[in-house]
Every structure is written in structure tokens, then in C-alpha cells.
Amino acid sequence: MLHILILILKIIGIIIAVILGILLLLIAIFLFVPVHYEVQGRCDGDLDSLKGKVQVIWLLQLVRADILYKNGKMKWRLRFAWIKRGNTGAGKKQKKVQTLQKQAEKAEISGIEEEEKTEISEIEEEEKSNHEKSITETDKIEKNEPEKFTEKSEENLATSQTIRQKSAHAPESEKWKTEKGIPEKEKSVDSEKNGSFYQRILSWIQKIKCTFGKLCDKIKALSGKKEKLEEFLRDEVHKGAYHKCKKELFRLMKHLKPQKADVRIIYGFDDPYHTGQALAVFGVLYPFVGGCISVTPDFEHQVLKGSAYLKGKIYLWHFVQSGWKLIWNRNVRQTYRDIRNFKIK
């Protein structure tokens, strides 16, 4: 009996050890297997000539992502093991559908043309028979009923005279309406449309005024509570948390630095001020990338030329390490609590 219990416990222990080993292996793969990335781009002076390609691979291409931008269109493809997703095959399917639709339309048009020919021939025969009948009927009418035509003509003249008399006695506004043939309902509809359009414009203007007023009130409230914010930022604990986050961020950016990089850009905007701002951003990124970037600003013309190539690795372990250090820092934890409970009275 004891041997059986010991054997069962051994089996349970082996199963637990195997499960723990699998979990540790998955965690190690997730943290220490790098994510390889490769970025390529080129521009010859216009946005239409912009081309780019991004490729991300993880775990021996078990997980892969490809993004391609060319001629103003973007194509993407994702693969996870045997599962594939993307819009690369959509163009071929659309072409096949278009060709099939064209073939069906041609077949329909050919069938419709034959049917129309037969219908036209039948209509022509009917028109000939009707024309002959109308000729015979008109001959009978001219012979037997000349008096009816004269009576109808006299009635038409009398009605036209009465209409003229009424229009002479009517006011000018009614004459204009009868002459032009414009009903009053259409005028009322047009006036309602114009009124609703103006009302919409006025409502939009009022909404813009309200939002602008709210923004002004918020800015005034913050300017009045400036002292409270300054006290919060001058605290030694909060300063220590800021320096710790800054240190970890710079360390993380060093680990994310690409192994191979060759970037050459010539750029320029309409406004030289924006060109200078972009140059300042490149200056901040220069220490992390090194001499791999060559940026030449053009303050006189609007230009965008150059090429870019980046290749490197990203280890998720670096993100976990930085997060672990920030969590166990007392200043960072206290600052996080103060930010959550911070209220300006």
C-alpha cells in the first residue's frame, strides 16, 4: 500500500516538475530570444516617390510581420506559425473578380443586343399597322365630322378670353406666379432650407465660442494654482523619482540602439522655423545613434530626399529589468501615490 502511494506521489511530482520546466522555458524564450527588425526607406524628392519596408522576425521566423509602403499604398502580412493574415492577396482576388465581371457583362450585352433587334423589328411592324389605321380614321373624320372641329375651336377661344380677363384683373404678384409657373409650395421649401442652413451655422459658431470659453477658464484656473504645482515639483522625493526614470530611459535607449544604421536625409519646409525644430529633434537623438545619421537641413526650399537603413535586435529582458528597478524604487512608488492622490484645491 505504501509503495503505491509513493509511486503516485512520484508521478505527481514529475508532472509538476515538467509543467514548471515548460513554464520556465517559455518565460526564458519570451525574455531572452531577441526580436530582429529591419527598416528600409527611400525618397527622391516627393511624397509620391516615398518607399518603405519594415520587417520584424521572432523565434526563427515562427512569428513574422512585413509592412511595405509603395506608390501611396500599404501592404502588410502577419504570420504566427501556420496562421497567415494580410492584404497582399487582395489585389489578385480583385483582379480576378473584375475579369469575371467583365466577361459576364459582355455575355449579357450580346444577349441583350439580340433581344433588342427582335423587339425593334416587332415595334416597327406595329408602327406600320398603326400608321395605316390612323390614316384611314383621319379620312373618315374629315368626311363625316367637320362640324365638331369648328365647335371645339370656338370653345377653346372662349376659354382663352376668360383667362386673359382674369389675369388682367388679378394683382401683379399673382400675374408673376401664373406667368412663371412657380408654385408657392416650392418657395416655402426653399425659405425653410435657407433658414435651417443659417441656424446650423449659428449653432456651430456658438459651440466654438463655448469650447473656447471653457479652454480659457481652464487656463486661468491652472495659472491661479501655479504655486501648488511648483511645490509638488520641488519636492525632493519627486525629484529623485524623475532622475531615476530619466536614467532608466537613457539606459533602455542605449540597448535599443540599432547594430547597423545608415541614414542620409536632406529636408526642408516652407517655414524655416519648422526646419529648425526638426533639426533640434535630430540633435536630441544623435547621441543614441552616433555618426550613423547624416542630416542636412535646407532653410530655403521645401525638399525631402534621402535613404535609411536600420537593423538591430530588441530583448524584452531590458524592458522587464527597467520596470523591475522602477517598481522597487521608493521615490518612484511614493511619487506614483502622490500623483494619484494629487488634487489642486
Side-chain angles (χ1 to χ4, degrees):
M1 191 71 182
L2 290 170
H3 294 290
I4 295 167
L5 290 172
I6 292 165
L7 208 144
I8 290 166
L9 290 172
K10 282 183 180 180
I11 292 166
I12 292 167
I14 291 165
I15 291 167
I16 292 168
V18 169
I19 291 168
L20 290 173
I22 291 167
L23 288 173
L24 289 172
L25 181 63
L26 291 173
I27 292 166
I29 289 169
F30 185 73
L31 293 176
F32 298 106
V33 174
V35 178
H36 296 268
Y37 67 89
E38 186 175 358
V39 181
Q40 295 179 3
R42 186 176 180 81
C43 186
D44 295 328
D46 298 325
L47 291 174
D48 296 331
S49 63
L50 184 64
K51 300 176 184 177
K53 182 183 178 182
V54 180
Q55 187 177 8
V56 180
I57 298 169
W58 183 64
L59 201 61
L60 299 173
Q61 297 190 1
L62 186 68
V63 179
R64 180 170 177 171
D66 294 318
I67 300 169
L68 179 66
Y69 181 83
K70 188 176 180 181
N71 297 325
K73 295 180 181 179
M74 185 179 288
K75 296 181 180 179
W76 60 275
R77 184 177 62 186
L78 296 173
R79 190 180 75 178
F80 180 75
W82 62 88
I83 300 168
K84 295 180 181 179
R85 294 287 183 273
N87 62 350
T88 54
K92 294 179 180 179
K93 290 181 180 178
Q94 287 179 358
K95 288 180 180 179
K96 288 181 180 178
V97 170
Q98 288 177 358
T99 52
L100 291 170
Q101 286 178 354
K102 287 180 181 179
Q103 290 176 1
E105 287 176 358
K106 287 179 181 178
E108 288 177 357
I109 289 163
S110 62
I112 289 163
E113 286 178 353
E114 291 178 357
E115 290 178 357
E116 285 180 352
K117 287 178 182 179
T118 55
E119 288 177 357
I120 289 163
S121 61
E122 290 177 355
I123 289 163
E124 287 177 353
E125 290 178 357
E126 288 180 357
E127 285 180 353
K128 286 179 182 179
S129 62
N130 291 324
H131 184 66
E132 291 175 357
K133 289 179 181 179
S134 63
I135 290 166
T136 55
E137 287 177 356
T138 51
D139 292 332
K140 289 178 181 179
I141 289 163
E142 288 176 356
K143 290 178 182 179
N144 297 324
E145 297 180 353
E147 294 178 356
K148 291 182 181 179
F149 179 74
T150 56
E151 289 177 357
K152 288 181 180 179
S153 63
E154 289 176 358
E155 289 177 357
N156 290 325
L157 289 169
T159 53
S160 64
Q161 286 177 1
T162 55
I163 289 163
R164 286 176 185 174
Q165 289 175 1
K166 288 180 181 179
S167 63
H169 293 291
E172 292 181 356
S173 62
E174 291 181 357
K175 285 181 184 179
W176 184 81
K177 289 177 185 177
T178 54
E179 287 175 358
K180 297 291 182 180
I182 298 170
E184 294 180 355
K185 291 182 179 179
E186 291 181 358
K187 290 184 178 180
S188 64
V189 171
D190 293 332
S191 63
E192 288 177 358
K193 287 181 180 178
N194 292 324
S196 63
F197 180 70
Y198 289 122
Q199 286 176 359
R200 287 178 184 176
I201 291 169
L202 291 172
S203 65
W204 289 340
I205 291 166
Q206 288 177 356
K207 286 179 182 178
I208 290 164
K209 286 181 180 178
C210 291
T211 52
F212 184 72
K214 288 178 181 178
L215 287 171
C216 291
D217 294 334
K218 287 180 180 179
I219 291 164
K220 288 179 182 177
L222 290 172
S223 63
K225 297 165 183 176
K226 185 179 178 182
E227 294 178 358
K228 188 74 175 175
L229 291 170
E230 287 180 353
E231 289 178 1
F232 182 82
L233 295 173
R234 285 174 185 171
D235 193 355
E236 294 296 330
V237 176
H238 302 157
K239 284 183 179 179
Y242 170 73
H243 289 299
K244 183 65 177 176
C245 292
K246 184 179 177 182
K247 182 181 177 181
E248 290 298 324
L249 180 63
F250 281 108
R251 191 183 67 80
L252 188 62
M253 291 182 74
K254 286 180 181 178
H255 288 298
L256 296 176
K257 182 179 177 180
Q259 294 177 348
K260 295 181 181 179
D262 186 10
V263 180
R264 301 177 187 276
I265 299 171
I266 301 170
Y267 76 97
F269 299 99
D270 291 332
D271 191 355
Y273 175 72
H274 298 302
T275 306
Q277 283 184 332
L279 186 62
V281 173
F282 286 127
V284 171
L285 296 174
Y286 185 80
F288 303 100
V289 182
C292 303
I293 293 178
S294 174
V295 179
T296 56
D298 190 351
F299 292 94
E300 296 180 356
H301 304 286
Q302 186 178 2
V303 185
L304 182 61
K305 292 182 180 179
S307 61
Y309 177 76
L310 299 171
K311 187 177 181 180
K313 299 177 183 178
I314 297 173
Y315 289 91
L316 297 177
W317 164 247
H318 298 304
F319 293 94
V320 175
Q321 187 180 8
S322 298
W324 183 264
K325 287 181 179 180
L326 291 174
I327 288 167
W328 287 102
N329 191 351
R330 186 181 297 175
N331 294 331
V332 174
R333 292 201 307 271
Q334 185 63 39
T335 304
Y336 176 72
R337 291 194 200 98
D338 293 338
I339 289 168
R340 288 188 65 185
N341 299 322
F342 181 71
K343 290 181 181 179
I344 301 173
K345 297 181 180 179

